[in-house]
Amino acid sequence: MRLKKILRVHAIFIPAILIGVWSCTPKGERQPETIRPNFIILMSDNHSWEHLGSYGDPVLKTPAIDKLAADGLRFNHAYCSAPSCAPARASMLTGQDIWRLEEAANLWGDFPAKFKVFTQLLEESGYLVGHEGKGWGPGDWEASGRTENPAGKKFYSFEEFYNEKERGQPFFYWFSSRDPHRPFKTGGWEKGNIDIDKMEVPPYLPDTEDVRKDMGDYYAEIESFDRDVASYLQLLKEMGQLD
């Protein structure tokens, strides 16, 4: 069943969907081996939901993400918990509304250690947990006595992370990209062959060449993130972990 397969593999863009798999067996019968799913979150940053091919953008080319959307689940009624980076990530990690999280509800705040995060729960249950890139932030997670970023131990590549995995150990990995966050690479739209004349400029912005070029640079970084997604999928395939 397609739904079961996708739920066991990836939570992409709308993260913090943690799925446990277990079974009930009549008393006296041998318990079957529990299947523990692996999780990978691939997250872009400051990326509006409608700017993807799978959500109808006529200009962007995001084939890797579009294929995941076609083969898996696409959410049409999912909302960010806060219109700001660190608070939204704190809410995702704790499963709580930002007004309950004290300093963690602020940009450049700290992250009180009394708030448990789902990465801790996974680690305590035997998962290898790690993140690459931004993780939780910007903020000072050390101020409250935490020994690592709430997103988990920091790695510089998925290969480095995977090499620490023990045989049969389930894993959780969060690739937290900074694309397409400002500042954009100037002229990225030209290198990326973005057709700025076909873009839809929002009505609250002036439809000028400079605005279109700026939007084009933003689009180029989204396409760069899509290439990151493609590389992760290829890596999982080579490792025999894609299914």
Side-chain angles (χ1 to χ4, degrees), residues 4-5 7-9 19-24 31-39 127 168-171 241 243:
K4 182 178 178 182
K5 177 179 176 182
L7 287 179
R8 284 183 54 194
V9 182
I19 296 132
V21 180
W22 66 93
S23 60
C24 295
Q31 293 284 346
E33 184 178 352
T34 301
I35 299 172
R36 310 196 76 191
N38 299 317
F39 299 98
Y127 274 74
Q169 184 181 15
F171 65 84
Q241 291 289 336
D243 286 337

Side-chain angles (χ1 to χ4, degrees), residues 135-187:
W136 177 79
D140 183 3
W141 49 264
E142 294 176 295
S144 63
R146 291 182 182 270
T147 57
E148 63 185 21
N149 190 297
K153 182 180 175 182
K154 186 174 180 63
F155 291 85
Y156 293 95
S157 71
F158 181 66
E159 296 95 324
E160 178 193 2
F161 166 80
Y162 197 76
N163 285 338
E164 287 201 9
K165 190 175 84 70
E166 296 178 8
R167 184 177 177 83
Q169 184 181 15
F171 65 84
F172 169 89
Y173 192 71
W174 177 2
F175 171 64
S176 184
S177 175
R178 286 179 169 79
D179 287 339
H181 199 295
R182 287 186 183 278
F184 309 137
K185 298 178 183 70
T186 304

